[in-house]
Amino acid sequence: MDRLQAMRVFVAVVNEGSFVHAAEKLEVSPQLVSKSLNQLEEHLGVRLLNRTTRRQHLTEAGSAYFARAQQVLADIDDMELQLSGLQQKARGVLRISAPVSFALRHLAPLLVSFQEAYPEVVVDLQLNDRKVDIVEEGFDIALRIGKLESSSLIAKRLAPVRLVYCAAPQYLAEHGEPHDLAALRDHRYLHYSYMDESLVPTAAQLMRSNNGDVLVAAACEGAGIALQPTFIACEALRAGRLQTILPSYEPEPIALYAIFAHRQFMASKVRAFLDFVDGYFGEPPYWDDY
């Protein structure tokens, strides 16, 4: 027995005054109405209606059940209407996880413009360089940078991300400029903790950090050579505080992705953000103009 449907049948019978009129309203047969009501009474163990060939009357139990059933059905209809509205109109809280340095440097203008376009969406931005579990931790979208591992999640590529070797002019003047990766053994290297190990050169590590901004700042002070994305190093490169080296050994570009759980029945707030961010950074992205 479909208990929810049986409840709807019972309420329709009471409201319409007869099995026949209830059947017409529900677009089912009178026999199905009678069967559904009998099954409901058997399930509850009480009689809801006293029936005669012409009329039916609510029992005491039927009156109590009718009042609660009407409220339950109204609540369900209201909930479905709200959820349908969320699918049709972008609103609600959009929880986004993003890498720290990228978010601090590049997300604020995007999010301000997005909320101007979708004022009923509240953005909850959480910054973390670790790979969050978006389902377990309740995120709608995670922005990630790197090479993606295979998973059941959906990934939308947003922009290429270049990694460049760079150092301050004063460091290179003092220690010389390496001309191949093997020469990095003789140099001080500023290592990013989350860097793919396959990209890490053999070098004497002077500093390790899980934040690229710290390493770029240290490189600007002449501390050593860093391998960093241009979305972090671009300002220092434009200003001449850093210069790129080893261009022939630049790693293959990685990418910025938006990760989300489902493509089907996607909430409008998620779809609106994905559409809004598509192409926002450009290709090549604006941070590569240095």
Side-chain angles (χ1 to χ4, degrees), residues 81-106:
L81 183 62
Q82 290 185 28
L83 292 175
S84 177
L86 287 175
Q87 289 298 104
Q88 296 169 9
K89 185 175 182 180
R91 64 184 179 185
V93 178
L94 180 67
R95 298 197 70 226
I96 302 174
S97 171
V100 177
S101 292
F102 183 83
L104 292 175
R105 289 175 174 271
H106 302 288

Side-chain angles (χ1 to χ4, degrees), residues 153-165:
L153 301 175
I154 311 295
K156 180 181 179 68
R157 183 181 179 276
L158 302 180
V161 173
R162 286 179 58 209
L163 298 170
V164 295
Y165 291 99

Side-chain angles (χ1 to χ4, degrees), residues 211-226:
N211 182 267
D213 279 292
V214 171
L215 298 176
V216 167
C220 288
E221 295 298 318
I225 295 172

